[in-house]
DNA sequence: TGCAGCTATGACTGGGTGGTCACATGCGGA
DNA sequence: TCCGCATGTGACCACCCAGTCATAGCTGCA
């Protein structure tokens, strides 16, 4: 959590610090990112930064939270619009894609976050993942009850697959992954590799 | 490529350098791994290392190659034993799992490799991925011709999914992923989420 | 005017890194 | 015995980093 001093700052100065920090954490992992470079690019003194934040990690977590709050504005639409699980999933990833196009730097920040291994970040990430797994499997059980989803599959395994593929998709938004490719990938998960008896797709 | 000097070394000394390097590169990414620590743990002088290798990257690539040569001994069985694509894939990941259990350090080295971003490693990794994609889609087209695989799916998308899930599986061998969970995950990819008309599994 | 308290500063500390080089050592052959 | 060459060495260089602290400046109140 930033110190009060940071929030007392005139808006423009505060914003410029945020922007430079976003730039640095978008291009580098937490460990490789350089506080020294951030303060140089802001034109403020090193010591000032420590008037605003406890340490590098404090700044980082603040920036990550900023990024996720922006992203939330996009992806939450997926859970508001009704529909079954396939539509929700498609909408979720589609909104993520839009977010990545409209806020490329913030998108990179959220992305790098999951690769962090420094300090206690590993545990934090683990907890976040577990929370997501609970959410996901709840949705999934619902869909199974509705007869939409193959009941023979292990929910944990399904989450594992979606988590892995979701991360890979998001990693490559804007590079290899566009809207059409996104649909193709989701179809693979939906229909599975094995040829189907009835209509294949 | 190591210098000739390295191969002139008595076997025990060469091996001890390899082992310490494997240890360091198993626990750290290329960038975080410390040459200084490797030479300290070996009990040799910093300068000696530069008699054997051009630089840190040279040593790293040599170690990665060592790891992959060992891994190849395992996974190539998947392509030797006949069977269609689902059996091949299952055997491939099962052999990877065995490799990770029998050579945990080498396994971690191969794993970290894909996360490297330093220097020209990014391009190398890109090329390796492209080569894998070609191999995979060739197998896939074969399977489609045999009527085993859903012909409506985009081969590039299928590769994308398997690559992502494969990496996640291998990342977590020994932690979350055991033999039973591996089967469950592969079933998700095989059958897809959507409920099937006939026998579900 | 003077004091109090918040804010700004940047030189400095202690620690890390990859890589170098002048020198030392050991060994095989003449 | 002595030379020449391959090998070994570790102090040293230049560079980077996060974090500190004594000092200075500012602002508003009494």
């Amino acid at each position: 959590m930033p110190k009060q001093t940071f929030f007392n700052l005139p808006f423009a100065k505060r914003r410029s610090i945020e922007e430079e920090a976003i730039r640095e954490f978008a291009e580098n992992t937490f460990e490789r990112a350089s506080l020294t470079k951030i303060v140089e690019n802001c034109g403020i003194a090193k010591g000032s930064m420590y008037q605003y934040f406890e340490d590098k990690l404090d700044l980082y977590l603040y920036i990550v939270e900023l990024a996720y709050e922006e992203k939330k504005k996009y992806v939450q639409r997926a859970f508001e619009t009704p529909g079954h699980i396939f539509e929700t999933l498609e909408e979720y990833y589609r909104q993520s894609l839009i977010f990545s196009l409209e806020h490329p730097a913030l998108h990179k920040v959220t992305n790098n976050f999951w690769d962090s291994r420094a300090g206690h970040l590993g545990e934090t990430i683990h907890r976040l993942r577990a929370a997501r797994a609970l959410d996901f499997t709840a949705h999934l059980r619902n869909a199974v009850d509705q007869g939409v989803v193959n009941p023979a599959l292990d929910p944990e395994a399904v989450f594992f697959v979606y988590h892995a593929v979701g991360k890979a998709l998001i990693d490559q938004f804007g590079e290899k992954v566009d809207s059409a490719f996104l649909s193709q990938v989701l179809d693979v998960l939906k229909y599975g590799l094995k040829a189907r008896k009835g209509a294949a797709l």
Side-chain angles (χ1 to χ4, degrees), chain A residues 48-120:
Chain A
S48 296
M49 208 51 142
Y50 286 85
Q51 305 274 12
Y52 310 146
F53 299 90
E54 292 296 337
D55 52 21
K56 190 184 174 187
L57 184 62
D58 189 30
L59 169 61
Y60 182 60
L61 291 179
Y62 174 70
I63 296 298
V64 168
E65 209 178 303
L66 272 193
Y68 268 107
E69 251 160 48
E70 190 61 34
K71 178 162 183 176
K72 215 187 285 175
K73 293 181 194 162
Y74 289 74
V75 296
Q76 70 185 358
R77 282 171 223 167
F79 304 102
E80 286 164 359
T81 57
H84 36 262
I85 195 165
F86 296 115
E87 278 136 21
T88 306
L89 282 168
E90 171 132 16
E91 183 66 9
Y92 179 87
Y93 288 115
R94 206 162 289 285
Q95 289 297 334
S96 294
L97 176 56
I98 296 172
F99 169 73
S100 82
L101 295 175
E102 295 184 358
H103 301 281
L106 292 181
H107 167 246
K108 283 184 187 173
V109 170
T110 60
N111 250 16
N112 285 340
F113 176 66
W114 294 94
D115 291 329
S116 310
R117 298 182 191 176
H120 300 99

Side-chain angles (χ1 to χ4, degrees), chain A residues 130-197:
Chain A
R132 284 196 175 196
L134 274 183
D135 265 17
F136 186 91
T137 48
H139 275 271
L140 199 65
R141 267 175 251 276
N142 235 338
V144 169
D145 291 345
Q146 290 166 18
V148 186
V149 158
N150 184 345
L153 300 175
D154 173 26
E156 272 287 327
V158 176
F159 172 71
F160 186 89
V161 167
Y162 269 83
H163 190 79
V165 173
K167 191 184 174 311
L169 279 170
I170 288 170
D171 259 354
Q172 301 203 39
F173 278 162
E175 294 166 54
K176 186 192 193 68
V177 177
D178 59 11
S179 179
F181 191 73
L182 175 59
S183 302
Q184 304 271 27
V185 168
L186 292 177
D187 273 350
V188 173
L189 300 184
K190 185 171 176 182
Y191 295 107
L193 243 64
K194 194 165 158 48
R196 284 175 182 254
K197 290 274 160 62

